[in-house]
Amino acid sequence: MKTLGEILSISVHFLKEKKCVRFRRDAEDLIAHVLKLKRLDLYAQFDRPVQEAELKILRALLKRAVKGEPVEYMIGEVAFYHCQLSVGPDVLIPRPETEILVDQACRMLCLADLQEKTAWDLCSGSGCIGIAVKKACPHLRVSLSDISGKALEIAAINAKRNDVQVELLQGDLLAPFAGRKTDIIFCNPPYIPSQEIFTLDPSVKDYEPREALDGGDDGLFFYRQLEKELPSYLNAKAKIFFEIGTGQGDLVLNLFHGRSWKNKRVEKDWAGHDRFFFLEFE
Ligand code: GLN
């Protein structure tokens, strides 16, 4: 019988040979999942024998990973900010970059007086942004909206898992909020230009929901719509936190050119790419 240490080294080697990008992390996550251990505990239990039944499950998962299936969908969950979230093929897998958006927003918001303030997370997908913000800033009243009913079902599970109360609304962008106004907007809309989707890694283009990726011809479809529609949904001094695509910084700055938009700034992610666009309403 092989030990955990041996299985880890064989699995890492296998995924590396098959050109999986995150070969070590994926192997660790899958083995931890099959053995019901925390990833870091793998390294404390190198001598533990791995049963044939466990190996059989692991082999099948490794083969799926080689085909490009995201490990997060196989495992069914992901850690995001201070939350543990369920994910499946109906929602975009929350990205570490989006944690920067949540972190920056929470630093700014928790300093402000949030009693009675409202925040909407548009295109909420798994609910990662709205749920993480609500957990960090419990006084905020948070609503999530998504066009996909299946995504909202996952967001509902995630709100429960993380013990937060948020409002969940189905509909396109601002449609579910007719007649209402808010103080804070979060939105990580689909922002990949349609023609670029086929250039993405297979784990993204073949597995993640296309409607969560496709931002129209130039990738700016949703920002354009929001620039037009947001003003009638915003209270004075509303704060807006967008995630944007690489290279879209100047484009969104120009798009939100009106005099009502204040304090506009494009922020970069850890890789140094334009990734966020923060602004305020008059
Ligand atoms: N808000 C979710 C996230 O950031 C979903 C985004 C999307 O589907 N475009 O992961």
Side-chain angles (χ1 to χ4, degrees):
M1 201 177 296
K2 291 211 162 39
T3 64
L4 197 169
E6 289 167 318
I7 294 300
L8 181 59
S9 131
I10 294 168
S11 305
V12 169
H13 190 73
F14 175 69
L15 292 184
K16 188 175 178 185
E17 216 171 38
K18 301 283 183 190
K19 310 268 183 279
C20 289
V21 184
R22 286 186 314 181
F23 52 88
R24 177 167 298 278
R25 179 64 195 256
D26 285 355
E28 290 170 348
D29 281 341
L30 288 175
I31 295 171
H33 174 65
V34 172
L35 301 183
K36 301 188 174 60
L37 293 173
K38 291 212 177 75
R39 187 170 62 90
L40 291 177
D41 290 343
L42 298 179
Y43 290 90
Q45 302 198 21
F46 260 30
D47 296 331
R48 170 193 162 142
V50 181
Q51 310 294 329
E52 187 49 41
E54 293 167 328
L55 269 183
K56 205 171 155 197
I57 299 169
L58 178 64
R59 275 192 214 104
L61 293 176
L62 287 168
K63 281 189 193 148
R64 285 163 63 186
V66 166
K67 287 196 183 134
E69 185 171 344
V71 163
E72 292 87 342
Y73 288 155
M74 286 189 251
I75 293 175
E77 64 181 323
V78 64
F80 180 87
Y81 210 60
H82 300 299
C83 302
Q84 198 65 25
L85 300 171
S86 297
V87 290
D90 292 314
V91 294
L92 194 82
I93 298 164
R95 301 295 201 270
E97 291 84 347
T98 309
E99 292 178 296
I100 305 178
L101 181 147
V102 171
D103 194 57
Q104 294 229 8
C106 286
R107 280 166 206 277
M108 288 169 67
L109 296 173
C110 289
L111 296 173
D113 178 15
L114 298 178
Q115 214 76 35
E116 299 302 308
K117 289 254 161 65
T118 59
W120 301 346
D121 174 8
L122 312 175
C123 306
S124 53
S126 63
C128 58
I129 299 176
I131 290 169
V133 167
K134 176 70 183 175
K135 202 162 178 175
C137 309
H139 294 307
L140 206 54
R141 284 187 287 163
V142 177
S143 305
L144 277 54
S145 79
D146 201 286
I147 197 162
S148 156
K150 287 183 177 161
L152 280 175
E153 280 172 27
I154 294 185
I157 292 169
N158 286 331
K160 201 157 178 216
R161 269 190 89 166
N162 290 280
D163 209 14
V164 297
Q165 292 211 331
V166 292
E167 181 185 31
L168 296 160
L169 300 166
Q170 187 173 3
D172 192 14
L173 280 185
L174 292 158
F177 296 101
R180 293 168 61 178
K181 286 184 188 249
T182 190
D183 306 297
I184 300 154
I185 293 276
F186 296 100
C187 187
N188 176 18
Y191 55 64
I192 312 286
S194 309
Q195 308 85 329
E196 282 179 25
I197 289 183
F198 80 97
T199 67
L200 301 175
D201 191 81
S203 63
V204 180
K205 73 174 158 70
D206 297 341
Y207 289 91
E208 297 202 80
R210 195 184 166 104
E211 60 273 26
L213 300 169
D214 193 337
D217 283 347
D218 60 358
L220 303 177
F221 177 87
F222 293 96
Y223 307 108
R224 204 170 278 121
Q225 192 169 333
L226 287 169
E227 196 277 331
K228 275 200 217 101
E229 293 182 8
L230 268 176
S232 51
Y233 291 86
L234 298 177
N235 286 326
K237 304 213 181 321
K239 291 183 186 344
I240 301 161
F241 301 89
F242 285 131
E243 185 167 322
I244 60 170
T246 303
Q248 291 177 342
D250 286 342
L251 299 169
V252 291
L253 272 172
N254 289 335
L255 196 58
F256 285 78
H257 63 272
R259 271 188 297 156
S260 319
W261 305 113
K262 308 276 186 222
N263 297 335
K264 295 181 280 182
R265 57 195 173 102
V266 171
E267 298 266 331
K268 296 191 185 301
D269 61 20
W270 291 308
H273 298 131
D274 293 350
R275 185 63 63 199
F276 311 105
F277 180 48
F278 302 153
L279 66 163
E280 286 173 31
F281 191 58
E282 59 191 359

